[in-house]
Amino acid sequence: MEDLRLLLKKLVEANGPSGHEENVRKVVEEQLTNYVDEMKVDNLGNLICTKKGAKDSPKAMILAHTDEIGMLVRYIEKEGFIRFSYLGGFFDQIVLGQRVLIHTEKGDIKGVIGAVPPHLMPEKERKKSITREKMFIDIGAQSREQAEEWGVKIGSPITWLGHFDQLGNNMVIGKAFDDRAGCAIMIQTLKEVKAECTIIGVASVMEEVGLRGAQTSSYTVDADFAIALDITATGDHPGVEERQMPVKIGKGPAITVADGRRESLGGGLISHPKVLKLLTETAEKNNIPYQLHVFEGGTTDATAAATSRGGIPSATINVPTRYVHSPVEVLDLQDLSNAVKLLKKSLESAHRFF
Ligand code: CO
Ligand code: ZN
């Protein structure tokens, strides 16, 4: 588990908002270079790694997205303060007061997200939440010219400045566990697996802005089935009822039965019964703990794979994660390790299913 902790830490410390995933891709490349037969990067930036199996064996596609939610510099005020756009799904209340890094050709610039303090607000404003339009990034610059001199430009990518750290009971904290947790599972599995089927691991780009890398790579890879690795929210803390979200941290990876928009499960995945069977039977046989779940409120790369070409049978393995899309996501390393076991064992018996 120490291996997985260090791998996750390394992946998290590489910053990669959507469209700027190169640093994360490099870590994946470095990790896998001695463990796969072929590696290529497509036009969009997806890293496609092939580990060849037996002749005429089925092709399994594994997807883990390299991007994290981020921001872009949208406007620099005369006084040097920076206005920003969201790149992915943010919750305004988590953004205010955070530290960020602006990535420029001249290096990373530290900043903090500011707004009018409550002391200076009219009474009734204090009860409202502050929205993005009222926030700005303070990098300590005194003018637009100075910010530009430091390398900040319209479109410069921004990420959380979030330190990887440890809580009790194998739990770790950090930003971008969505989806470096998936990347860690993919890397570790490709290192350990000895399967008959051919495995194509895709470190995909631009998931957080609409599954874009998964869409193009699913077409290229043309697999017999696909498994996406991602995180899912949990309902094991104050404020969520179990019936609303029964997934808990530490109880094993969550296998998605279906996901999508809250009101309809539209725009999401209905997992293919054959892939579901492969995953659940493998878990049962090998005594790997798992949780089945229907997720209302989002989807993963598997959705793009499922509707690619003539339809690719797909499902998702998720790591239960608290406080998703914040700089303090929390997960349990034991779940990560069980997800590796589940994926590895599933791939090793996949030739009997496809
Ligand atoms: Co996400
Ligand atoms: Zn994700």
Side-chain angles (χ1 to χ4, degrees):
M1 225 156 44
E2 180 61 8
D3 287 2
L4 272 174
R5 192 183 67 85
L6 291 173
L7 177 58
L8 181 63
K9 181 170 188 283
K10 189 174 276 184
L11 284 159
V12 161
E13 284 169 357
N15 296 302
S18 311
H20 304 269
E21 299 92 345
E22 313 78 47
N23 291 331
V24 186
R25 190 177 73 218
K26 274 185 208 140
V27 177
V28 182
E29 263 167 346
E30 211 176 83
Q31 290 288 322
L32 285 179
T33 180
N34 295 325
Y35 296 91
V36 297
D37 301 298
E38 215 178 274
M39 262 188 202
K40 59 175 193 250
V41 180
D42 75 4
N43 294 335
L44 222 54
N46 296 302
L47 174 67
I48 303 176
C49 311
T50 305
K51 186 162 181 161
K52 287 189 188 132
K55 198 165 169 283
D56 300 322
S57 58
K59 262 165 55 177
M61 183 189 199
I62 308 304
L63 286 146
H65 68 90
T66 46
D67 61 321
E68 63 192 276
I69 58 163
M71 305 169 189
L72 289 180
V73 172
R74 186 174 53 77
Y75 180 73
I76 308 169
E77 302 275 358
K78 279 204 304 295
E79 300 79 8
F81 297 100
I82 291 155
R83 302 289 184 170
F84 52 92
S85 296
Y86 288 153
L87 205 47
F90 279 88
F91 187 50
D92 289 337
Q93 287 173 58
I94 281 171
V95 175
L96 182 62
Q98 297 292 353
R99 290 164 208 238
V100 293
L101 279 181
I102 304 181
H103 307 283
T104 81
E105 276 161 23
K106 294 186 179 171
D108 293 347
I109 310 251
K110 281 180 195 156
V112 64
I113 301 188
V116 176
H119 313 73
L120 304 180
M121 278 178 192
E123 189 64 39
K124 64 175 195 283
E125 288 283 307
R126 281 186 214 173
K127 297 203 171 65
K128 293 186 202 155
S129 59
I130 295 174
T131 57
R132 175 174 64 95
E133 291 70 32
K134 297 202 172 122
M135 299 181 218
F136 47 81
I137 300 172
D138 186 346
I139 57 169
Q142 281 164 340
S143 65
R144 180 185 293 152
E145 288 68 32
Q146 191 169 42
E148 285 170 346
E149 212 174 282
W150 293 350
V152 180
K153 285 197 281 213
I154 307 287
S156 296
I158 304 164
T159 53
W160 302 121
L161 177 56
H163 299 289
F164 185 89
D165 215 336
Q166 202 99 27
L167 297 177
N169 291 322
N170 290 322
M171 289 189 217
V172 288
I173 328 167
K175 55 108 175 149
F177 286 171
D178 178 7
D179 185 28
R180 307 294 153 69
C183 295
I185 297 166
M186 184 169 82
I187 290 168
Q188 198 58 32
T189 302
L190 279 166
K191 283 182 179 176
E192 295 176 12
V193 73
K194 289 190 178 69
E196 258 192 68
C197 66
T198 289
I199 304 164
I200 298 115
V202 177
S204 66
V205 294
M206 296 183 248
E207 190 268 357
E208 296 291 353
V209 288
L211 321 178
R212 298 178 201 177
Q215 207 177 326
T216 59
S217 57
S218 296
Y219 181 86
T220 312
V221 169
D222 193 11
D224 294 297
F225 70 99
I227 298 170
L229 308 170
D230 216 315
I231 56 92
T232 194
T234 67
D236 55 359
H237 51 71
V240 197
E241 281 191 72
E242 191 181 316
R243 65 173 65 82
Q244 187 191 344
M245 176 36 102
V247 170
K248 292 181 179 67
I249 216 169
K251 299 283 180 206
I255 299 171
T256 304
V257 180
D259 66 17
R261 285 192 291 274
R262 173 156 307 138
E263 65 288 358
S264 61
L265 293 181
L269 177 77
I270 296 169
S271 295
H272 194 281
K274 233 164 138 183
V275 190
L276 268 185
K277 194 166 175 225
L278 167 66
L279 295 176
T280 51
E281 275 191 17
T282 303
E284 299 284 350
K285 245 187 229 155
N286 296 281
N287 289 317
I288 304 166
Y290 70 99
Q291 315 177 63
L292 281 181
H293 94 311
V294 172
F295 184 58
E296 298 180 346
T299 193
T300 72
D301 274 349
T303 294
T307 53
S308 178
R309 291 188 172 260
I312 295 167
S314 301
T316 314
I317 298 174
N318 299 280
V319 180
T321 304
R322 291 178 184 160
Y323 327 121
V324 290
H325 285 197
S326 86
V328 289
E329 293 175 338
V330 171
L331 64 76
D332 187 326
L333 291 170
Q334 193 69 55
D335 288 333
L336 207 61
S337 152
N338 279 319
V340 172
K341 247 186 243 168
L342 174 60
L343 179 61
K344 188 173 75 177
K345 296 283 182 193
S346 298
L347 290 169
E348 287 172 349
S349 49
H351 59 281
R352 291 199 287 271
F353 285 74
F354 293 91

